[in-house]
Amino acid sequence: MAIDDPIKCVILPQFQGSLLLPRASVVEVVDGRDLDIVVDLQGGVIGKMQWRGWTVPLVSFEAASSGSIPKFNSETKSVILH
């Protein structure tokens, strides 16, 4: 990769604003219907979810940055990152 090669990115919409990430960091976008939300965890970790046989932490960038946990609805998606 040369210095002037563009970095392919994705914009992930959030409830307040958007998050820009390198495309290579996104593994999969999954449906968020079966989330196990625990609202008293720290550091933006708001629960856990099952993904391909693994239990992975569910991190809210909004909760980590502003301290407020966003509301979830039937359209909520989760993004698995490297």
Side-chain angles (χ1 to χ4, degrees), residues 10-21 44 46 59-73 75-79 81:
V10 293
I11 297 175
L12 303 177
Q14 297 183 342
F15 290 101
Q16 297 176 346
S18 297
L19 184 64
L20 179 67
L21 294 172
I46 59 171
V59 176
S60 167
F61 286 98
E62 291 152 319
S65 62
S66 69
S68 64
I69 298 172
K71 294 179 182 177
F72 293 91
N73 61 41
E75 299 298 318
T76 299
K77 304 286 184 203
S78 296
V79 179
L81 302 174

Side-chain angles (χ1 to χ4, degrees), residues 27-30 48-56 80-81:
V27 176
E28 185 176 345
V29 177
V30 296
K48 59 188 175 186
M49 65 180 289
Q50 293 297 315
W51 178 70
R52 296 186 182 193
W54 294 83
T55 301
V56 296
I80 305 296
L81 302 174

Side-chain angles (χ1 to χ4, degrees), residues 22-45:
R23 175 65 186 105
S25 66
V26 176
V27 176
E28 185 176 345
V29 177
V30 296
D31 191 9
R33 277 184 259 169
D34 300 321
L35 303 177
D36 182 13
I37 306 297
V38 180
V39 296
D40 60 348
L41 299 176
Q42 297 179 3
V45 178

